[in-house]
Amino acid sequence: SPAVAEVVGPPPSGLSQAQGGIQALINPGHWIGQFIGINSHGESWDFDASPEEVSAAFVKALKNITPEQRKALVFTNLDIAEASAEKLKVLTWTKLEWLDVLDVAFKPLAEGGCTATVNIYATGFFPTSIPGAPILNTLLFFFPFASPSPSGGMLQNNRCNILYKMVKSNLKA
């Protein structure tokens, strides 16, 4: 059965929590962003472990996130909204409460192991700390915006690289 609403780190503001669920459901920043790739990134990773084990490794990595990893990922806090052998959905907020979503789908491989299809994306131009952000972001869905990383490159690409290492490390442990 899926784990629901496990907050890691200090929770976002009440306004961000209230609007975050709505914005994560409609994802207006991802409607066009997924096609132009400036605020979203996806990869597929093959593991020599079952979907259950890989999902558990993701959850363990996120629950045990170090301050250095949190800073590198630009996650002030995160909410593990769903975790199962089929799917993982995590809502992540930055310090200024921009909401990004991590979606992972797990598929078993015929020869053993599994493939994790990882997508991480920005949900909108405005942070969820602004009143009416889901409405404003829906109205501006067509406006392209980038998510640069403080360490260079694009944020979502860097996040995928870091998350991959974290999951691999938890599978070895």
Side-chain angles (χ1 to χ4, degrees), residues 29 33 49 63 133 163:
K63 283 184 178 180
L163 286 167

Side-chain angles (χ1 to χ4, degrees), residues 23-165:
Q23 189 152 304
L25 184 66
I26 58 176
N27 293 313
H30 191 52
W31 296 348
I32 292 178
Q34 66 184 316
F35 299 112
I36 57 178
I38 60 173
N39 62 11
S40 66
H41 185 70
E43 296 181 0
S44 290
W45 306 333
D46 288 340
F47 294 100
D48 293 328
S50 71
E52 293 84 1
E53 293 167 320
V54 176
S55 179
F58 263 99
V59 171
K60 183 178 178 185
L62 293 169
K63 283 184 178 180
N64 297 316
I65 193 169
T66 66
E68 295 80 20
Q69 291 166 330
R70 186 183 302 276
K71 184 177 178 182
L73 290 165
V74 194
F75 290 169
T76 299
N77 44 49
L78 55 99
D79 180 352
I80 302 169
E82 181 179 346
S84 70
E86 291 81 36
K87 181 179 181 181
L88 175 71
K89 184 175 189 113
V90 181
L91 310 183
T92 70
W93 280 271
T94 66
K95 184 177 180 179
L96 296 176
E97 299 189 351
W98 270 284
L99 174 64
D100 294 343
V101 173
L102 167 66
D103 275 325
V104 185
F106 303 102
K107 297 245 188 225
L109 297 171
E111 63 275 7
C114 78
T115 297
T117 304
V118 180
N119 289 293
I120 188 162
Y121 49 89
T123 63
F125 181 74
F126 290 104
T128 55
S129 57
I130 294 177
I135 295 167
L136 294 170
N137 286 321
T138 299
L139 293 172
L140 292 173
F141 78 92
F142 61 88
F143 184 75
F145 62 95
S147 295
S149 174
S151 60
M154 297 308 288
L155 180 59
Q156 312 309 5
N157 301 49
N158 289 351
R159 285 176 166 170
C160 275
N161 291 333
I162 295 164
L163 286 167
Y164 179 75
K165 291 173 188 169

